Amino acid sequence: METISAIHITPFDEETREIDWKGLEANIEALIASGSEVIVTCGNTGEFYALTLEEAKEVTERVVAQVNKRAIVMAGIGYSADTAVELGRHAQRAGADCVMIHQPIHPYITKEGAVSYFRKVMESLDIPSTLYLKDAAVSDDILLTLAALPECVGVKYAINDLPRFTHTVRRIPEEYGIAWICGTAESGRRISSVPEPRASPRALSMSFRASPMPC
């Protein structure tokens, strides 16, 4: 483990059901004060799927402005490919350092469909991408193609099968420099340190390699 990647919560007002912006600000400050070097907006813990697209955009805008370069900001994006691209382009305009692409939630996604989805989103953006893998039914073989792309700098691996994870990491060439982020918080297990991220003109200064984090 090299550092902690923190996903903020997105609190809501109990009566109005609107986002509690002051509560969000307090959570961001607490995460930074605790030493978090990577702040992830619009993750699952950040209620991504409970937010409207406009709310998701505003959350990212506010977090980027508040963090103000004190940490790396990774913006969660997802839904359809076109919507993910829209959210990603907004995040890059807002000043996010990179994006985390949520895995498509379609129940029958194929290996070819997953590759096509992630590739389209990554190649449509000018900031680096981290892939979020959570569905054990989707083959890790997709990483053999996607990890080779220069836009891909990290993988958040949230499939609770550590032998499978180990096998996958060993199959990905070290020269790809992928940053592996532990997404197995539900099981209370940690993933050991793996290769450092690639250095490229597009790559941000991501020095984390394996980070226990809520998903």
Side-chain angles (χ1 to χ4, degrees):
M1 185 181 74
E2 188 161 313
T3 193
I4 297 295
S5 180
I7 301 181
H8 68 73
I9 62 170
T10 302
F12 295 88
D13 185 277
E14 190 172 348
E15 295 183 359
T16 67
R17 304 302 184 187
E18 298 295 323
I19 294 174
D20 177 359
W21 296 112
K22 290 185 178 180
L24 174 59
E25 290 173 6
N27 184 235
I28 296 299
E29 290 303 320
L31 292 174
I32 292 176
S34 70
S36 298
E37 297 178 336
V38 183
I39 305 294
V40 183
T41 76
C42 299
N44 284 340
T45 299
E47 306 292 351
F48 177 66
Y49 292 105
L51 301 175
T52 66
L53 295 186
E54 291 309 310
E55 285 175 331
K57 291 177 180 179
E58 187 171 1
V59 166
T60 294
E61 285 179 12
R62 286 178 178 250
V63 172
V64 169
Q66 184 180 350
V67 171
N68 192 26
K69 304 300 182 182
R70 293 179 291 169
I72 291 170
V73 176
M74 182 187 300
I77 62 176
Y79 293 111
S80 71
D82 288 342
T83 300
V85 170
E86 176 186 346
L87 290 171
R89 288 175 175 169
H90 178 270
Q92 83 185 23
R93 288 194 300 270
D97 297 289
C98 58
V99 297
M100 177 184 73
I101 309 173
H102 285 271
Q103 186 169 305
I105 57 176
H106 195 288
Y108 303 113
I109 186 170
T110 63
K111 180 171 70 175
E112 293 76 14
V115 169
S116 176
Y117 174 84
F118 283 121
R119 182 195 290 271
K120 176 176 180 177
V121 177
M122 286 193 291
E123 293 183 343
S124 297
L125 304 178
D126 294 324
I127 54 177
S129 296
T130 291
L131 311 181
Y132 186 1
L133 300 187
K134 192 175 179 68
D135 187 353
V138 177
S139 173
D140 290 359
D141 288 351
I142 66 173
L143 296 178
L144 299 177
T145 299
L146 296 172
L149 300 178
E151 297 84 2
C152 183
V153 297
V155 175
K156 178 179 177 182
Y157 199 89
I159 298 169
N160 289 322
D161 185 337
L162 296 193
R164 171 175 168 171
F165 169 77
T166 301
H167 177 67
T168 296
V169 171
R170 288 174 176 170
R171 294 170 67 203
I172 304 300
E174 288 190 16
E175 56 265 30
Y176 290 175
I178 295 299
W180 296 94
I181 306 173
C182 177
T184 61
E186 302 96 328
S187 67
R189 293 175 291 185
R190 295 187 175 187
I191 292 176
S192 59
S193 181
V194 289
E196 294 184 3
R198 67 162 60 88
S200 71
R202 286 195 179 189
L204 71 165
S205 299
M206 295 173 72
S207 61
F208 61 96
R209 292 181 289 189
S211 310
M213 58 196 285
C215 62

